[in-house]
Amino acid sequence: MEVKDREDKDIRQPDLKSMNMEELRNWVIGAGQPAFRAKQIYQWFHVKLADGTEEMTNLPKSLREKMDEYGIYGVSVVTRLISEDDGTNKFLFRLHDGNVIESVLMKYKHGNSVCISSQVGCRMGCRFCASTIGGLVRNLTASEMLSQIYSIQKITGERVSNVVVMGTGEPLDNFDNVLRFLQLLSDPNGYGMSLRHVTVSTCGVVPKILELAEPRLGLTLSVSLHCPNDAGRSAIMPINRSYPIDVLLDACQTYFEKTGRRVTFEYAVMDQVNSAEQDAAALAERLKGLHAHVNLIPINPVKERNFHTLKKTVLQFQKTLERYGIPATIRRTLGSDIEAACGQLRRDAIQQT
Ligand code: SAH
């Protein structure tokens, strides 16, 4: 599979909520307004978390009208599901063009973590994932990624302390917008989240992993590995045909050397696919020397797909990995009573219409 940059026609880039302070200042001046308005607007968006211009009462009406005309992208809640098991919240949001996306709020002792989508749909084609079934519709703008976090904070009244870019979409296939999103999210004059509290997950778009290493951001990169050999990985993850495991792990090594941040590896355990004793041994062999940490995910069954796992298989896999010296944790399954697997709520919403 060839991964090319794509453009989203008809979407204003950047819209006002995706602009940094300097861009906003230029826009404000272009609109015939004094430069200090830029700071006010920026604060409305990223500190007071305003959804629209109606709230921005210290701005002249004419400016607010110009802003609406130019374009501000956000999200509005369609559905909120709350898990009775563990308090996980799942949100279905509508975008300005009618597309829907989903986000998840997970509550931990150390704080609230939000899992956001980075694209509408996905074109990576991983066999076990619900997000990819309808293909890619479009990239999300930086403002649409931020708005998922801002809305959840507003709805719950609780600060979001961690963000994982692990919802629908491949963040490194929407590289420029994701980078813009990270810069805005961590701006001390804006929302001000330290990137130490942010994880970006990728299926392995190697050139973009290398590009992401360059600005030396403090975020955690997580790589979805899911299989220790190329034949098996290519069968479940088409990206592996472009960037096989050796090339991917080399890029992870470079990422670690450049940023000083350890890469974590995701491994969704699937019976009959990647969960045998020799798979664990082969995985340990491949990860040797990488200071790797493995997150084991019990596969979340997707109704259109036929992958399953048993708890004892995951436990066994963890034991074997640790015997070979690779630390591994098992991801707690949260919100299984509310269809928390990637893309399931969105698929159900699409099928209903
Ligand atoms: N495209 C990125 C991020 C989105 S997917 C990536 O591939 O990493 C987030 C994680 O959920 C990935 O590790 C992905 O492989 C995993 N995943 C997808 N479908 C799943 C399922 N049905 N059960 C468990 N994990 C799944």
Side-chain angles (χ1 to χ4, degrees):
M1 180 181 50
E2 209 180 329
V3 181
K4 283 207 187 102
D5 287 338
R6 60 190 298 282
E7 272 177 77
D8 289 295
K9 307 217 169 52
D10 308 324
I11 299 279
R12 176 81 80 171
Q13 290 276 41
D15 68 301
L16 293 173
K17 199 175 181 175
S18 298
M19 285 185 185
N20 60 36
M21 192 77 91
E22 194 188 333
E23 291 163 336
L24 206 50
R25 194 175 294 122
N26 291 335
W27 184 85
V28 162
I29 292 167
Q33 290 279 333
F36 74 87
R37 295 283 182 215
K39 196 168 174 198
Q40 287 179 311
I41 298 173
Y42 194 82
Q43 284 189 337
W44 274 115
F45 282 138
H46 304 293
V47 180
K48 299 179 203 165
L49 313 185
D51 289 317
T53 56
E54 319 78 63
E55 295 171 55
M56 305 184 183
T57 43
N58 59 352
L59 302 180
K61 192 147 186 286
S62 62
L63 176 59
R64 286 190 264 157
E65 278 165 10
K66 271 193 190 146
M67 290 173 66
D68 287 333
E69 217 171 278
Y70 187 85
I72 298 167
Y73 299 143
V75 302
S76 53
V77 192
V78 183
T79 315
R80 176 186 184 189
L81 300 176
I82 304 175
S83 163
E84 286 178 16
D85 299 348
D86 52 49
T88 298
N89 281 227
K90 181 133 195 183
F91 297 88
L92 187 70
F93 288 118
R94 180 172 288 110
L95 309 176
H96 73 99
D97 59 0
N99 278 304
V100 289
I101 55 165
E102 49 188 83
S103 323
V104 186
L105 164 68
M106 292 155 291
K107 298 192 162 208
Y108 297 103
K109 279 193 211 88
H110 63 263
N112 285 355
S113 179
V114 167
C115 172
I116 65 158
S117 295
S118 56
Q119 295 180 313
V120 182
C122 182
R123 58 175 176 155
M124 294 296 126
C126 299
R127 296 290 303 147
F128 45 83
C129 180
S131 298
T132 203
I133 293 171
L136 176 66
V137 179
R138 72 164 169 89
N139 283 326
L140 293 185
T141 61
S143 50
E144 288 164 337
M145 290 181 255
L146 291 167
S147 296
Q148 297 170 58
I149 300 159
Y150 296 174
S151 289
I152 290 176
Q153 172 155 329
K154 282 179 82 173
I155 293 165
T156 58
E158 292 171 25
R159 172 93 184 166
V160 174
S161 52
N162 292 271
V163 168
V164 294
V165 189
M166 283 196 181
T168 296
E170 168 50 48
L172 300 190
D173 187 36
N174 183 15
F175 190 84
D176 293 347
N177 289 335
V178 167
L179 201 60
R180 184 178 274 280
F181 155 77
L182 294 169
Q183 281 157 351
L184 290 169
L185 182 70
S186 58
D187 180 1
N189 295 312
Y191 191 78
M193 179 178 289
S194 159
L195 292 182
R196 301 250 156 199
H197 296 148
V198 177
T199 299
V200 173
S201 179
T202 179
C203 64
V205 188
V206 165
K208 297 294 177 187
I209 292 178
L210 299 173
E211 209 176 322
L212 188 67
E214 288 306 326
R216 296 186 161 79
L217 307 169
L219 56 84
T220 300
L221 180 68
S222 180
V223 169
S224 302
L225 201 54
H226 303 329
C227 192
N229 61 74
D230 281 317
R233 191 166 189 266
S234 294
I236 53 172
M237 300 180 71
I239 188 79
N240 197 70
R241 295 179 209 143
S242 305
Y243 308 111
I245 298 172
D246 273 349
V247 176
L248 175 58
L249 295 182
D250 271 355
C252 293
Q253 182 63 29
T254 306
Y255 187 90
F256 171 61
E257 284 162 12
K258 282 231 157 104
T259 63
R261 305 278 300 164
R262 274 179 206 184
V263 175
T264 59
F265 294 91
E266 306 287 317
Y267 197 99
V269 183
M270 298 169 243
D271 284 334
Q272 319 284 331
V273 177
N274 63 2
S275 60
E277 167 110 21
Q278 61 266 36
D279 293 322
L283 180 64
E285 181 61 31
R286 285 215 104 128
L287 297 182
K288 215 167 53 188
L290 268 175
H291 310 281
H293 181 99
V294 177
N295 260 323
L296 297 173
I297 318 171
I299 192 86
N300 216 329
V302 170
K303 55 177 173 291
E304 291 88 343
R305 301 286 192 243
N306 205 14
F307 294 104
H308 300 277
T309 197
L310 292 171
K311 215 172 216 151
K312 70 167 200 270
T313 317
V314 186
L315 276 169
Q316 190 56 45
F317 201 86
Q318 179 191 32
K319 270 201 197 128
T320 315
L321 271 185
E322 295 200 319
R323 205 169 66 230
Y324 284 99
I326 303 289
T329 42
I330 300 178
R331 165 103 46 88
R332 254 195 322 146
T333 36
L334 290 172
S336 20
D337 56 329
I338 52 167
E339 299 209 88
C342 304
Q344 283 190 50
L345 194 62
R346 176 171 171 265
R347 277 214 59 72
D348 291 349
I350 294 170
Q351 276 162 359
Q352 276 160 25
T353 47

